[in-house]
């Protein structure tokens, strides 16, 4: 497994509509393995393919919160939202492409998704709690949408400026 670098906002690849995966190949299996390793290493609870520069409709997540519980890694290929609850939920979201920035986002409390698994089978499941928030956050990535797009323009601009500064500093550190 290889840890892949995570793109930091602003990056044009994070704003693109991703293409469906046409077939579950060895390359897709390797990408999913690498993405899970990268997500656990970060650490995070989700990661979408565009965040590692691959513009395909695929994300991984593991929202098991209990410290000693077994991991529950999930790989969702070509996910589609088939149902959302009317009831909403507010969660203070973060994003591995927008490090150390958090903001409250309101989303449907529950969501049902259909997707293709690495086994080549169609799956459908209803998510609640952090799983539902994370699945929607990751699905947004596949449509070029970031959690800061739910915020007002002032907050979004402030966070974007911080990220531009962070990227300049990281580039400078790399040179030194
Ligand atoms: O898509 C991403 O950038 C991953 C993101 C997913 C997410 C977090 C919170 C709400 C919705 C979606 C993260 O994983 S940010 C890191 C994080 O929240 C976390 C890290 C370690 C333990 C628990 C949470
Ligand atoms: Zn994110």
């Amino acid at each position: 497994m290889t840890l892949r670098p995570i793109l930091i906002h602003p990056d044009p690849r994070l704003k693109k509509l991703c293409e469906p995966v046409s077939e579950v190949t060895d390359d897709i299996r390797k990408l999913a393995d690498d993405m899970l390793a990268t997500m656990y290493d970060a650490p995070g609870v989700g990661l979408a393919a565009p965040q590692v520069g691959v513009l395909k409709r695929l994300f991984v997540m593991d929202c098991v919160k209990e410290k000693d519980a077994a991991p529950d890694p999930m790989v969702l290929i070509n996910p589609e939202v088939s149902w959302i609850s009317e009831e909403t939920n507010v969660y203070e979201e973060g994003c591995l492409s927008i490090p150390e920035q958090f903001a409250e986002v309101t989303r449907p409390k529950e969501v049902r998704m259909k997707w293709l698994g690495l086994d080549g089978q169609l799956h459908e499941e209803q998510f609640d709690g952090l799983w539902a928030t994370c699945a929607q956050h990751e699905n947004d990535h596949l449509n070029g949408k970031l959690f800061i797009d739910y915020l007002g323009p002032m907050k979004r601009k402030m966070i974007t400026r911080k990220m531009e500064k962070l990227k300049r500093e990281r580039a400078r550190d790399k040179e030194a």
Side-chain angles (χ1 to χ4, degrees):
M1 272 182 285
T2 313
L3 297 183
R4 301 199 184 198
I6 298 175
L7 300 181
I8 303 298
H9 166 74
D11 186 298
R13 289 167 286 182
L14 293 171
K15 300 305 296 171
K16 293 270 195 312
L17 180 71
C18 295
E19 290 290 329
V21 172
S22 53
E23 200 188 339
V24 180
T25 59
D26 283 350
D27 279 356
I28 292 293
R29 274 186 273 273
K30 164 94 173 90
L31 172 64
D33 268 7
D34 290 353
M35 284 170 59
L36 280 167
T38 305
M39 178 192 81
Y40 287 124
D41 179 72
V45 292
L47 190 69
Q51 293 181 277
V52 292
V54 179
L55 301 183
K56 289 193 188 318
R57 302 190 76 78
L58 155 68
F59 71 78
V60 299
M61 63 176 173
D62 183 349
C63 298
V64 169
K65 274 195 262 174
E66 301 75 28
K67 209 173 143 263
D68 297 320
D72 186 9
M74 297 192 74
V75 178
L76 288 81
I77 300 168
N78 298 339
E80 277 179 31
V81 174
S82 52
W83 174 83
I84 52 168
S85 62
E86 272 180 34
E87 195 181 347
T88 57
N89 188 38
V90 181
Y91 195 91
E92 187 163 57
E93 296 192 16
C95 180
L96 297 175
S97 294
I98 310 177
E100 286 164 36
Q101 303 301 315
F102 301 89
E104 288 190 342
V105 178
T106 304
R107 298 184 188 268
K109 185 177 176 292
E110 291 172 87
V111 63
R112 202 167 174 82
M113 280 193 184
K114 289 180 185 174
W115 68 92
L116 186 66
L118 283 177
D119 55 6
Q121 301 292 307
L122 274 174
H123 296 250
E124 187 166 19
E125 212 174 295
Q126 196 158 313
F127 298 110
D128 196 356
L130 180 57
W131 289 93
T133 300
C134 186
Q136 292 174 81
H137 175 115
E138 301 310 329
N139 198 52
D140 274 353
H141 272 300
L142 308 184
N143 295 323
K145 190 162 182 171
L146 301 172
F147 82 89
I148 55 169
D149 295 325
Y150 292 94
L151 311 180
M154 296 269 279
K155 268 193 185 169
R156 189 163 59 240
K157 234 172 251 167
M158 193 186 73
I159 291 176
T160 299
R161 289 216 182 101
K162 282 187 185 167
M163 292 301 103
E164 285 166 341
K165 183 164 176 266
L166 177 76
K167 285 173 80 168
R168 280 198 301 273
E169 285 165 359
R170 285 189 180 182
R172 228 176 284 142
D173 289 349
K174 236 181 168 184
E175 276 170 25

